[in-house]
Coordinates of all heavy atoms in Angstrom, one line a residue:
M1 N -48.7 29.1 17.2 CA -47.6 28.3 17.9 C -47.1 29.0 19.2 O -46.7 30.1 19.1 CB -46.5 28.1 16.9 CG -45.5 27.0 17.3 SD -44.0 27.0 16.3 CE -44.7 26.0 15.0
G2 N -47.3 28.3 20.3 CA -47.0 28.9 21.6 C -45.4 28.7 21.7 O -44.7 28.1 20.9
P3 N -44.9 29.4 22.8 CA -43.5 29.4 23.1 C -43.0 28.0 23.3 O -41.8 27.7 22.9 CB -43.3 30.4 24.3 CG -44.7 30.5 24.8 CD -45.7 30.2 23.7
V4 N -43.7 27.2 24.0 CA -43.2 25.9 24.3 C -43.1 25.0 23.0 O -42.2 24.3 22.8 CB -44.2 25.2 25.3 CG1 -43.8 23.7 25.5 CG2 -44.2 25.9 26.6
A5 N -44.2 25.2 22.2 CA -44.1 24.4 20.9 C -42.9 24.9 20.0 O -42.3 24.1 19.3 CB -45.4 24.6 20.1
A6 N -42.7 26.2 20.0 CA -41.5 26.7 19.3 C -40.2 26.2 19.8 O -39.3 25.8 19.0 CB -41.6 28.3 19.3
L7 N -40.1 26.2 21.1 CA -38.9 25.6 21.7 C -38.6 24.2 21.3 O -37.6 23.7 20.9 CB -38.9 25.8 23.2 CG -37.7 25.4 24.0 CD1 -36.5 26.4 23.6 CD2 -38.0 25.4 25.5
L8 N -39.8 23.4 21.4 CA -39.7 22.0 21.1 C -39.3 21.8 19.6 O -38.5 20.9 19.3 CB -41.1 21.4 21.4 CG -41.1 19.9 21.5 CD1 -40.3 19.5 22.8 CD2 -42.5 19.4 21.6
F9 N -39.9 22.7 18.7 CA -39.6 22.6 17.3 C -38.2 22.9 17.1 O -37.5 22.1 16.3 CB -40.5 23.6 16.6 CG -40.4 23.6 15.1 CD1 -40.9 22.5 14.4 CD2 -39.8 24.6 14.4 CE1 -40.8 22.4 13.1 CE2 -39.7 24.6 13.0 CZ -40.2 23.4 12.3
T10 N -37.6 23.8 17.8 CA -36.2 24.1 17.6 C -35.3 23.0 18.0 O -34.3 22.7 17.4 CB -35.9 25.4 18.4 OG1 -36.8 26.4 18.0 CG2 -34.5 25.9 18.1
V11 N -35.6 22.4 19.2 CA -34.8 21.4 19.7 C -34.9 20.2 18.8 O -33.7 19.6 18.4 CB -35.3 21.0 21.1 CG1 -34.7 19.7 21.5 CG2 -35.0 22.0 22.1
V12 N -36.0 19.9 18.3 CA -36.1 18.7 17.3 C -35.3 19.0 16.1 O -34.6 18.2 15.5 CB -37.6 18.4 17.0 CG1 -37.7 17.5 15.8 CG2 -38.3 17.9 18.3
L13 N -35.5 20.2 15.5 CA -34.7 20.5 14.3 C -33.2 20.5 14.5 O -32.6 20.1 13.6 CB -35.1 22.0 13.9 CG -36.2 22.1 12.9 CD1 -36.2 23.6 12.3 CD2 -35.9 21.2 11.7
S14 N -32.8 20.9 15.7 CA -31.3 20.8 15.9 C -30.8 19.4 16.2 O -29.6 19.1 16.0 CB -30.9 21.7 17.1 OG -31.6 21.2 18.3
L15 N -31.7 18.5 16.6 CA -31.3 17.1 16.9 C -31.4 16.3 15.6 O -30.7 15.2 15.6 CB -32.1 16.6 18.0 CG -31.9 17.0 19.4 CD1 -32.7 16.3 20.4 CD2 -30.4 16.7 19.8
V16 N -32.2 16.6 14.7 CA -32.4 15.7 13.5 C -31.1 15.4 12.7 O -30.8 14.3 12.5 CB -33.5 16.3 12.6 CG1 -33.4 15.7 11.2 CG2 -34.9 16.1 13.2
P17 N -30.2 16.4 12.5 CA -29.0 16.1 11.8 C -28.1 15.2 12.6 O -27.5 14.2 12.0 CB -28.3 17.5 11.6 CG -29.4 18.5 11.7 CD -30.4 17.8 12.6
T18 N -28.1 15.3 13.9 CA -27.2 14.4 14.7 C -27.7 13.0 14.7 O -27.0 12.1 14.5 CB -27.2 14.9 16.1 OG1 -26.9 16.3 16.2 CG2 -26.3 14.1 17.0
V19 N -29.1 12.9 14.7 CA -29.7 11.5 14.7 C -29.5 10.9 13.3 O -29.1 9.7 13.2 CB -31.2 11.7 15.1 CG1 -31.9 10.3 14.8 CG2 -31.3 12.1 16.5
L20 N -29.6 11.7 12.3 CA -29.4 11.2 11.0 C -27.9 10.7 10.8 O -27.7 9.7 10.2 CB -29.7 12.2 9.9 CG -31.2 12.4 9.6 CD1 -31.5 13.5 8.6 CD2 -31.9 11.1 9.2
F21 N -27.0 11.5 11.3 CA -25.6 11.2 11.2 C -25.3 9.9 12.0 O -24.6 9.0 11.5 CB -24.7 12.3 11.7 CG -23.3 12.0 11.7 CD1 -22.6 11.9 10.5 CD2 -22.6 11.6 12.8 CE1 -21.2 11.5 10.5 CE2 -21.3 11.3 12.9 CZ -20.6 11.3 11.6
L22 N -25.8 9.8 13.1 CA -25.6 8.6 14.0 C -26.2 7.4 13.3 O -25.6 6.3 13.3 CB -26.2 8.7 15.3 CG -25.3 9.7 16.2 CD1 -26.1 9.8 17.6 CD2 -24.0 9.1 16.4
G23 N -27.4 7.6 12.7 CA -28.1 6.5 11.9 C -27.2 6.0 10.8 O -27.0 4.8 10.6
L24 N -26.7 7.0 10.1 CA -25.7 6.6 9.0 C -24.5 5.9 9.5 O -24.1 4.9 8.9 CB -25.4 7.9 8.2 CG -24.3 7.7 7.1 CD1 -24.9 7.0 6.0 CD2 -23.7 9.1 6.7
W25 N -24.0 6.3 10.6 CA -22.7 5.8 11.1 C -23.0 4.3 11.5 O -22.2 3.4 11.1 CB -22.3 6.7 12.3 CG -21.0 6.2 12.9 CD1 -20.8 5.4 14.0 CD2 -19.7 6.4 12.4 NE1 -19.5 5.2 14.2 CE2 -18.8 5.8 13.2 CE3 -19.2 7.1 11.2 CZ2 -17.4 5.9 13.0 CZ3 -17.8 7.1 11.0 CH2 -17.0 6.5 11.9
Y26 N -24.0 4.2 12.3 CA -24.3 2.8 12.8 C -24.7 1.9 11.6 O -24.5 0.7 11.6 CB -25.3 2.8 13.9 CG -24.6 3.3 15.2 CD1 -24.9 4.5 15.7 CD2 -23.6 2.5 15.8 CE1 -24.3 4.9 16.9 CE2 -23.1 2.9 17.0 CZ -23.4 4.1 17.5 OH -22.7 4.6 18.6
G27 N -25.4 2.5 10.6 CA -25.8 1.8 9.5 C -24.6 1.2 8.7 O -24.5 0.1 8.3
L28 N -23.6 2.1 8.6 CA -22.3 1.7 7.9 C -21.6 0.6 8.7 O -21.1 -0.3 8.2 CB -21.4 2.9 7.7 CG -21.9 3.9 6.6 CD1 -20.9 5.1 6.5 CD2 -21.9 3.2 5.2
L29 N -21.6 0.8 10.0 CA -21.0 -0.3 10.9 C -21.6 -1.6 10.7 O -21.0 -2.7 10.7 CB -20.9 0.2 12.4 CG -19.9 1.2 12.8 CD1 -20.1 1.5 14.2 CD2 -18.5 0.7 12.4
A30 N -23.0 -1.5 10.6 CA -23.7 -2.8 10.5 C -23.5 -3.4 9.1 O -23.5 -4.6 8.9 CB -25.2 -2.6 10.6
L31 N -23.2 -2.5 8.1 CA -23.1 -3.1 6.7 C -21.6 -3.7 6.6 O -21.4 -4.4 5.6 CB -23.2 -1.9 5.7 CG -24.6 -1.6 5.3 CD1 -24.6 -0.4 4.4 CD2 -25.3 -2.8 4.6
R32 N -20.7 -3.3 7.4 CA -19.3 -3.6 7.2 C -19.2 -5.2 7.3 O -19.7 -5.8 8.3 CB -18.5 -3.0 8.3 CG -17.0 -3.1 7.9 CD -16.2 -2.4 9.0 NE -16.2 -3.2 10.3 CZ -15.6 -2.7 11.4 NH1 -14.8 -1.7 11.3 NH2 -15.7 -3.4 12.5
D33 N -18.5 -5.8 6.3 CA -18.4 -7.3 6.3 C -17.0 -7.6 6.9 O -16.0 -7.5 6.3 CB -18.4 -7.7 4.8 CG -18.6 -9.2 4.8 OD1 -18.4 -9.9 5.8 OD2 -19.0 -9.6 3.6
D34 N -17.1 -8.0 8.1 CA -15.8 -8.2 8.9 C -15.1 -9.4 8.3 O -13.8 -9.4 8.3 CB -16.1 -8.4 10.3 CG -16.4 -7.2 11.0 OD1 -15.9 -6.1 10.6 OD2 -17.2 -7.2 12.0
D35 N -15.7 -10.4 7.8 CA -15.2 -11.6 7.3 C -14.3 -11.2 6.0 O -13.2 -11.6 5.8 CB -16.2 -12.6 6.9 CG -16.8 -13.3 8.1 OD1 -16.2 -13.1 9.2 OD2 -17.9 -13.9 8.0
L36 N -15.0 -10.3 5.2 CA -14.2 -9.9 4.0 C -13.0 -9.1 4.3 O -11.9 -9.3 3.7 CB -15.2 -9.0 3.1 CG -14.8 -8.9 1.7 CD1 -14.8 -10.2 1.0 CD2 -15.8 -8.0 1.0
V37 N -13.1 -8.3 5.3 CA -11.9 -7.4 5.8 C -10.8 -8.4 6.3 O -9.6 -8.2 5.9 CB -12.3 -6.4 6.9 CG1 -11.1 -5.8 7.4 CG2 -13.3 -5.5 6.3
E38 N -11.2 -9.4 7.0 CA -10.2 -10.4 7.5 C -9.6 -11.1 6.3 O -8.4 -11.4 6.3 CB -10.8 -11.3 8.6 CG -11.0 -10.7 9.8 CD -9.8 -10.1 10.5 OE1 -8.7 -10.8 10.5 OE2 -9.8 -9.0 10.9
Q39 N -10.4 -11.5 5.4 CA -9.7 -12.2 4.2 C -8.8 -11.3 3.5 O -7.7 -11.8 3.1 CB -10.9 -12.6 3.3 CG -11.7 -13.8 3.6 CD -12.7 -14.2 2.7 OE1 -12.6 -13.8 1.5 NE2 -13.7 -15.0 3.1
A40 N -9.1 -10.1 3.3 CA -8.2 -9.2 2.6 C -6.9 -9.0 3.3 O -5.9 -9.0 2.8 CB -8.9 -7.8 2.3
R41 N -7.1 -8.9 4.6 CA -5.9 -8.7 5.5 C -5.0 -10.0 5.4 O -3.8 -9.9 5.4 CB -6.3 -8.5 6.9 CG -5.3 -7.7 7.7 CD -5.9 -7.1 9.0 NE -6.7 -6.0 8.8 CZ -7.6 -5.5 9.6 NH1 -7.8 -6.2 10.8 NH2 -8.3 -4.5 9.4
A42 N -5.6 -11.1 5.4 CA -4.8 -12.4 5.3 C -4.1 -12.5 4.0 O -3.0 -12.9 3.8 CB -5.7 -13.6 5.6
M43 N -4.8 -12.1 2.9 CA -4.2 -12.2 1.6 C -3.0 -11.2 1.5 O -2.1 -11.5 0.9 CB -5.3 -11.7 0.5 CG -6.2 -12.9 0.1 SD -7.4 -12.4 -1.0 CE -6.5 -11.9 -2.5
E44 N -3.2 -10.0 2.1 CA -2.1 -9.1 2.1 C -0.9 -9.6 2.8 O 0.3 -9.4 2.4 CB -2.5 -7.8 2.8 CG -1.5 -6.6 2.6 CD -1.6 -6.0 1.2 OE1 -2.6 -6.3 0.5 OE2 -0.6 -5.5 0.8
A45 N -1.1 -10.3 3.9 CA 0.0 -10.9 4.6 C 0.7 -12.0 3.9 O 1.8 -12.3 4.0 CB -0.5 -11.4 6.0
R46 N -0.2 -12.8 3.1 CA 0.4 -13.9 2.4 C 1.1 -13.6 1.2 O 1.8 -14.4 0.6 CB -0.8 -14.9 2.1 CG -0.9 -16.1 3.0 CD -1.7 -17.2 2.4 NE -2.9 -16.6 1.7 CZ -4.1 -16.8 2.1 NH1 -4.4 -17.7 3.0 NH2 -5.1 -16.3 1.4
R47 N 0.9 -12.4 0.7 CA 1.4 -12.0 -0.7 C 2.9 -12.1 -0.7 O 3.6 -11.5 0.2 CB 0.9 -10.6 -1.0 CG 1.0 -10.3 -2.5 CD 0.3 -9.1 -2.8 NE 0.9 -7.9 -2.2 CZ 0.6 -6.7 -2.3 NH1 -0.4 -6.4 -3.0 NH2 1.1 -5.7 -1.7
P48 N 3.5 -12.8 -1.6 CA 5.0 -12.9 -1.7 C 5.6 -11.6 -2.1 O 5.1 -10.8 -2.9 CB 5.1 -14.0 -2.7 CG 4.0 -13.9 -3.6 CD 2.8 -13.6 -2.7
T49 N 6.7 -11.3 -1.6 CA 7.5 -10.2 -2.0 C 8.5 -10.5 -3.0 O 9.4 -11.4 -2.9 CB 8.2 -9.6 -0.7 OG1 9.0 -10.6 -0.2 CG2 7.2 -9.1 0.3
Y50 N 8.4 -9.8 -4.1 CA 9.3 -10.1 -5.2 C 10.5 -9.2 -5.1 O 10.6 -8.0 -5.4 CB 8.6 -9.7 -6.6 CG 7.3 -10.5 -6.8 CD1 6.0 -9.9 -6.6 CD2 7.3 -11.8 -7.1 CE1 4.9 -10.6 -6.7 CE2 6.2 -12.5 -7.3 CZ 5.0 -11.9 -7.1 OH 3.8 -12.6 -7.2
S51 N 11.6 -9.9 -4.6 CA 12.8 -9.1 -4.4 C 13.9 -9.5 -5.4 O 15.1 -9.3 -5.1 CB 13.3 -9.4 -3.0 OG 13.5 -10.8 -2.8
S52 N 13.5 -10.0 -6.6 CA 14.5 -10.4 -7.5 C 15.1 -9.1 -8.3 O 16.2 -9.1 -8.6 CB 14.0 -11.4 -8.5 OG 12.8 -10.8 -9.2
S53 N 14.3 -8.1 -8.4 CA 14.7 -6.9 -9.1 C 15.6 -6.1 -8.2 O 15.4 -6.1 -7.0 CB 13.5 -6.1 -9.5 OG 12.8 -5.6 -8.4
P54 N 16.5 -5.4 -8.8 CA 17.4 -4.6 -7.9 C 16.8 -3.5 -7.2 O 17.2 -3.1 -6.2 CB 18.5 -4.1 -8.9 CG 17.9 -4.3 -10.3 CD 16.9 -5.4 -10.2
G55 N 15.7 -3.0 -7.8 CA 15.0 -1.8 -7.2 C 14.3 -2.3 -5.8 O 14.2 -1.5 -5.0
A56 N 13.8 -3.6 -5.8 CA 13.1 -4.0 -4.7 C 14.0 -4.2 -3.5 O 13.7 -4.2 -2.4 CB 12.3 -5.3 -5.0
R57 N 15.3 -4.5 -3.9 CA 16.3 -4.8 -2.8 C 16.5 -3.4 -2.0 O 16.6 -3.5 -0.8 CB 17.6 -5.2 -3.4 CG 18.5 -5.7 -2.3 CD 19.8 -6.2 -3.0 NE 19.6 -7.2 -4.0 CZ 20.5 -7.6 -4.9 NH1 21.6 -6.9 -5.0 NH2 20.2 -8.5 -5.7
K58 N 16.5 -2.3 -2.7 CA 16.8 -1.1 -2.0 C 15.6 -0.6 -1.2 O 15.7 0.1 -0.2 CB 17.0 0.0 -3.1 CG 18.4 -0.1 -3.7 CD 18.5 0.9 -4.9 CE 19.8 0.5 -5.7 NZ 19.7 1.1 -7.1
Q59 N 14.3 -1.1 -1.5 CA 13.1 -0.7 -0.8 C 13.0 -1.4 0.5 O 12.1 -1.0 1.3 CB 11.9 -1.0 -1.7 CG 11.8 0.1 -2.8 CD 10.8 -0.4 -3.8 OE1 10.1 -1.4 -3.7 NE2 10.6 0.3 -4.9
S60 N 13.7 -2.4 0.8 CA 13.7 -3.1 2.1 C 15.0 -3.0 2.8 O 15.8 -3.9 2.8 CB 13.3 -4.6 1.8 OG 14.3 -5.2 1.0
P61 N 15.2 -1.8 3.5 CA 16.5 -1.7 4.1 C 16.5 -2.4 5.4 O 17.7 -2.7 6.0 CB 16.6 -0.1 4.4 CG 15.2 0.3 4.4 CD 14.4 -0.7 3.5
T62 N 15.5 -2.9 5.9 CA 15.5 -3.6 7.3 C 16.0 -5.0 7.1 O 16.6 -5.6 8.0 CB 14.0 -3.7 7.8 OG1 13.2 -4.2 6.8 CG2 13.6 -2.3 8.2
R63 N 15.8 -5.5 5.8 CA 16.3 -6.9 5.6 C 17.8 -6.9 5.5 O 18.4 -6.1 4.7 CB 15.7 -7.4 4.3 CG 15.9 -8.9 4.2 CD 15.2 -9.4 2.9 NE 15.8 -8.8 1.7 CZ 16.7 -9.5 1.0 NH1 17.0 -10.6 1.3 NH2 17.2 -8.9 -0.1
P64 N 18.5 -7.7 6.3 CA 20.0 -7.7 6.2 C 20.4 -8.3 4.8 O 20.0 -9.5 4.4 CB 20.4 -8.6 7.3 CG 19.2 -9.4 7.7 CD 18.0 -8.5 7.3
D65 N 21.1 -7.5 4.0 CA 21.5 -8.0 2.7 C 22.5 -9.1 2.8 O 23.6 -9.0 3.5 CB 22.0 -6.8 1.9 CG 21.9 -7.0 0.4 OD1 21.6 -8.1 0.1 OD2 22.2 -6.1 -0.3
A66 N 22.3 -10.2 2.1 CA 23.3 -11.3 2.1 C 24.6 -11.0 1.5 O 25.6 -11.4 1.9 CB 22.6 -12.5 1.4
S67 N 24.5 -10.1 0.4 CA 25.8 -9.8 -0.3 C 26.6 -8.9 0.6 O 27.8 -8.9 0.5 CB 25.5 -9.2 -1.6 OG 24.8 -8.0 -1.4
G68 N 26.1 -8.1 1.4 CA 26.8 -7.2 2.3 C 27.6 -6.1 1.6 O 27.1 -5.6 0.6
P69 N 28.7 -5.7 2.1 CA 29.4 -4.5 1.5 C 30.1 -4.9 0.2 O 30.5 -4.1 -0.6 CB 30.4 -4.2 2.5 CG 30.6 -5.5 3.3 CD 29.3 -6.2 3.3
S70 N 30.1 -6.2 -0.2 CA 30.8 -6.6 -1.4 C 29.9 -6.3 -2.6 O 29.3 -7.2 -3.1 CB 31.2 -8.1 -1.4 OG 30.1 -8.9 -1.2
E71 N 29.9 -5.0 -3.0 CA 28.9 -4.6 -4.0 C 29.4 -5.1 -5.4 O 28.5 -5.3 -6.3 CB 28.9 -3.1 -4.0 CG 27.8 -2.5 -5.0 CD 26.4 -2.8 -4.5 OE1 26.2 -2.9 -3.2 OE2 25.5 -2.8 -5.2
S72 N 30.6 -5.4 -5.5 CA 31.1 -5.9 -6.9 C 30.5 -7.3 -7.2 O 30.4 -7.6 -8.4 CB 32.6 -6.0 -6.9 OG 33.1 -6.9 -5.9
D73 N 30.1 -8.1 -6.2 CA 29.5 -9.4 -6.6 C 28.1 -9.2 -7.2 O 27.7 -9.9 -8.0 CB 29.3 -10.2 -5.3 CG 30.7 -10.6 -4.9 OD1 31.7 -10.5 -5.7 OD2 30.9 -11.1 -3.6
A74 N 27.3 -8.1 -6.7 CA 26.0 -7.9 -7.2 C 25.9 -7.2 -8.5 O 24.9 -7.1 -9.0 CB 25.2 -7.2 -6.1
T75 N 27.0 -6.7 -9.0 CA 27.0 -5.9 -10.2 C 27.9 -6.5 -11.2 O 28.9 -7.3 -10.9 CB 27.4 -4.5 -10.0 OG1 28.7 -4.5 -9.5 CG2 26.5 -3.7 -9.1
V76 N 27.7 -6.3 -12.5 CA 28.5 -6.8 -13.6 C 28.8 -5.7 -14.5 O 27.9 -4.8 -14.8 CB 27.8 -8.0 -14.4 CG1 26.5 -7.6 -15.0 CG2 28.7 -8.6 -15.4
V77 N 30.0 -5.6 -15.0 CA 30.4 -4.5 -15.8 C 30.1 -4.8 -17.3 O 30.4 -5.9 -17.8 CB 31.9 -4.1 -15.6 CG1 32.4 -3.0 -16.6 CG2 32.1 -3.7 -14.2
C78 N 29.5 -3.8 -18.0 CA 29.2 -4.0 -19.4 C 30.5 -4.1 -20.2 O 31.4 -3.3 -20.1 CB 28.3 -2.9 -19.9 SG 28.0 -2.9 -21.7
P79 N 30.7 -5.1 -21.1 CA 31.9 -5.2 -21.9 C 31.9 -4.0 -23.0 O 33.0 -3.8 -23.5 CB 31.8 -6.6 -22.5 CG 30.3 -6.9 -22.5 CD 29.8 -6.2 -21.3
R80 N 30.8 -3.5 -23.3 CA 30.9 -2.4 -24.4 C 31.1 -1.1 -23.9 O 31.9 -0.4 -24.4 CB 29.5 -2.5 -25.1 CG 29.5 -3.3 -26.4 CD 28.2 -3.5 -27.0 NE 27.7 -2.2 -27.6 CZ 26.6 -2.0 -28.3 NH1 25.7 -3.0 -28.3 NH2 26.3 -0.8 -28.8
C81 N 30.4 -0.7 -22.8 CA 30.5 0.7 -22.4 C 31.1 0.8 -21.0 O 31.4 1.9 -20.5 CB 29.2 1.4 -22.4 SG 28.0 0.8 -21.2
G82 N 31.2 -0.3 -20.3 CA 31.8 -0.2 -18.9 C 30.8 0.2 -17.8 O 31.2 0.4 -16.7
S83 N 29.5 0.3 -18.1 CA 28.6 0.7 -17.1 C 28.3 -0.5 -16.1 O 28.4 -1.7 -16.6 CB 27.2 1.1 -17.7 OG 27.4 2.3 -18.5
R84 N 28.0 -0.2 -14.9 CA 27.7 -1.2 -14.0 C 26.3 -1.6 -14.1 O 25.4 -0.8 -14.1 CB 28.0 -0.7 -12.6 CG 29.4 -0.7 -12.2 CD 29.7 -0.6 -10.7 NE 31.1 -0.7 -10.4 CZ 31.6 -1.9 -10.1 NH1 30.9 -3.0 -10.2 NH2 32.9 -2.0 -9.8
N85 N 26.0 -2.9 -14.2 CA 24.6 -3.4 -14.2 C 24.4 -4.5 -13.1 O 25.4 -5.0 -12.6 CB 24.4 -4.2 -15.6 CG 24.4 -3.2 -16.7 OD1 23.5 -2.7 -17.1 ND2 25.6 -3.0 -17.3
A86 N 23.2 -4.6 -12.7 CA 22.9 -5.6 -11.7 C 23.2 -7.0 -12.2 O 23.1 -7.2 -13.4 CB 21.4 -5.5 -11.3
A87 N 23.7 -7.8 -11.3 CA 24.1 -9.2 -11.8 C 22.8 -9.9 -12.3 O 21.8 -9.9 -11.7 CB 24.7 -9.9 -10.6
G88 N 23.0 -10.7 -13.3 CA 21.9 -11.5 -13.8 C 21.2 -10.9 -15.0 O 20.3 -11.6 -15.5
V89 N 21.4 -9.6 -15.3 CA 20.7 -9.0 -16.4 C 21.3 -9.5 -17.7 O 22.4 -9.9 -17.9 CB 20.8 -7.5 -16.3 CG1 20.1 -7.0 -15.0 CG2 22.2 -7.0 -16.4
T90 N 20.4 -9.4 -18.7 CA 20.9 -9.8 -20.1 C 21.4 -8.7 -20.9 O 22.3 -8.8 -21.7 CB 19.6 -10.4 -20.9 OG1 19.0 -11.4 -19.9 CG2 20.1 -11.1 -22.1
Y91 N 20.8 -7.5 -20.7 CA 21.2 -6.4 -21.5 C 21.6 -5.2 -20.6 O 21.1 -5.0 -19.5 CB 20.0 -5.8 -22.4 CG 19.6 -6.9 -23.4 CD1 18.5 -7.7 -23.2 CD2 20.4 -7.1 -24.6 CE1 18.2 -8.7 -24.1 CE2 20.0 -8.1 -25.5 CZ 18.9 -8.8 -25.3 OH 18.6 -9.8 -26.2
C92 N 22.6 -4.4 -21.1 CA 23.1 -3.2 -20.4 C 22.0 -2.2 -20.3 O 21.3 -1.8 -21.3 CB 24.3 -2.7 -21.1 SG 24.9 -1.2 -20.3
W93 N 21.8 -1.5 -19.1 CA 20.9 -0.5 -19.0 C 21.3 0.8 -19.7 O 20.5 1.6 -20.1 CB 20.7 -0.1 -17.6 CG 21.9 0.6 -16.9 CD1 22.9 -0.1 -16.3 CD2 22.1 2.0 -16.8 NE1 23.8 0.9 -15.9 CE2 23.4 2.1 -16.2 CE3 21.4 3.1 -17.2 CZ2 23.9 3.4 -16.0 CZ3 22.0 4.4 -17.0 CH2 23.2 4.4 -16.4
H94 N 22.6 0.9 -20.0 CA 23.1 2.2 -20.6 C 23.1 2.1 -22.2 O 22.6 2.9 -22.8 CB 24.5 2.5 -20.0 CG 25.0 3.8 -20.5 ND1 26.0 4.0 -21.3 CD2 24.6 5.1 -20.1 CE1 26.3 5.2 -21.5 NE2 25.5 5.9 -20.8
C95 N 23.8 1.1 -22.7 CA 24.0 0.9 -24.1 C 23.1 -0.2 -24.7 O 23.2 -0.3 -25.9 CB 25.4 0.7 -24.5 SG 26.1 -0.9 -23.9
L96 N 22.4 -0.9 -23.9 CA 21.5 -2.0 -24.4 C 22.4 -3.1 -25.0 O 21.8 -3.9 -25.8 CB 20.5 -1.5 -25.3 CG 19.4 -0.5 -24.7 CD1 18.4 -0.1 -25.8 CD2 18.7 -1.1 -23.6
G97 N 23.7 -3.1 -24.8 CA 24.5 -4.2 -25.3 C 24.3 -5.4 -24.5 O 23.8 -5.4 -23.3
E98 N 24.5 -6.6 -25.2 CA 24.3 -7.9 -24.5 C 25.3 -8.2 -23.5 O 26.5 -7.9 -23.7 CB 24.2 -9.0 -25.5 CG 23.3 -10.1 -25.1 CD 22.9 -11.0 -26.3 OE1 22.9 -10.5 -27.4 OE2 22.5 -12.2 -26.0
I99 N 24.9 -8.7 -22.4 CA 25.9 -9.0 -21.3 C 25.9 -10.6 -21.1 O 24.8 -11.2 -21.1 CB 25.6 -8.3 -20.0 CG1 25.7 -6.8 -20.2 CG2 26.5 -8.8 -18.9 CD1 25.2 -6.0 -19.0
D100 N 27.1 -11.2 -21.1 CA 27.1 -12.6 -20.9 C 26.6 -13.1 -19.6 O 27.1 -12.6 -18.6 CB 28.6 -13.0 -21.1 CG 29.1 -12.7 -22.4 OD1 28.4 -12.6 -23.4 OD2 30.4 -12.4 -22.5
Ligands
LIG201 ZN1 26.8 -1.0 -21.8

């Protein structure tokens, strides 16, 4: 093997991983289903936000709360133990007593 052949062999050996990687990259780009990605994105945007639970209300601070600072309207006091519960609940979170 002459020096030119050895140099050529080295250059080819160093280029093969790059070519293989580029082949994999462009292969993956060709495999990507753009319609499916768009469908998933549209489904994500259409998904309704369940804000009925009191925890979900705290997770969206950007939304202006309709009840505002009057926190007493959104809570109900348990008749058995006096704990504050979210309005509309059936049972107390603390003593599990029934709330009217
Ligand atoms: Zn209670």
Side-chain angles (χ1 to χ4, degrees):
M1 190 185 280
V4 176
L7 184 67
L8 201 65
F9 185 69
T10 308
V11 167
V12 168
L13 263 192
S14 61
L15 282 181
V16 162
T18 308
V19 171
L20 282 179
F21 176 75
L22 285 177
L24 173 70
W25 184 259
Y26 284 109
L28 285 177
L29 279 183
L31 278 177
R32 196 178 65 175
D33 195 343
D34 284 333
D35 291 341
L36 198 62
V37 171
E38 283 304 314
Q39 277 183 24
R41 206 167 279 162
M43 278 176 65
E44 189 74 22
R46 258 197 320 241
R47 200 169 60 180
T49 55
Y50 302 103
S51 58
S52 57
S53 66
R57 190 182 302 163
K58 288 171 191 162
Q59 284 168 2
S60 60
T62 54
R63 192 176 65 97
D65 202 349
S67 62
S70 60
E71 189 67 27
S72 59
D73 292 344
T75 60
V76 60
V77 175
C78 174
R80 266 176 68 180
C81 69
S83 295
R84 285 193 171 276
N85 292 269
V89 298
T90 311
Y91 297 99
C92 172
W93 68 274
H94 188 251
C95 69
L96 297 180
E98 206 162 342
I99 297 174
D100 301 330

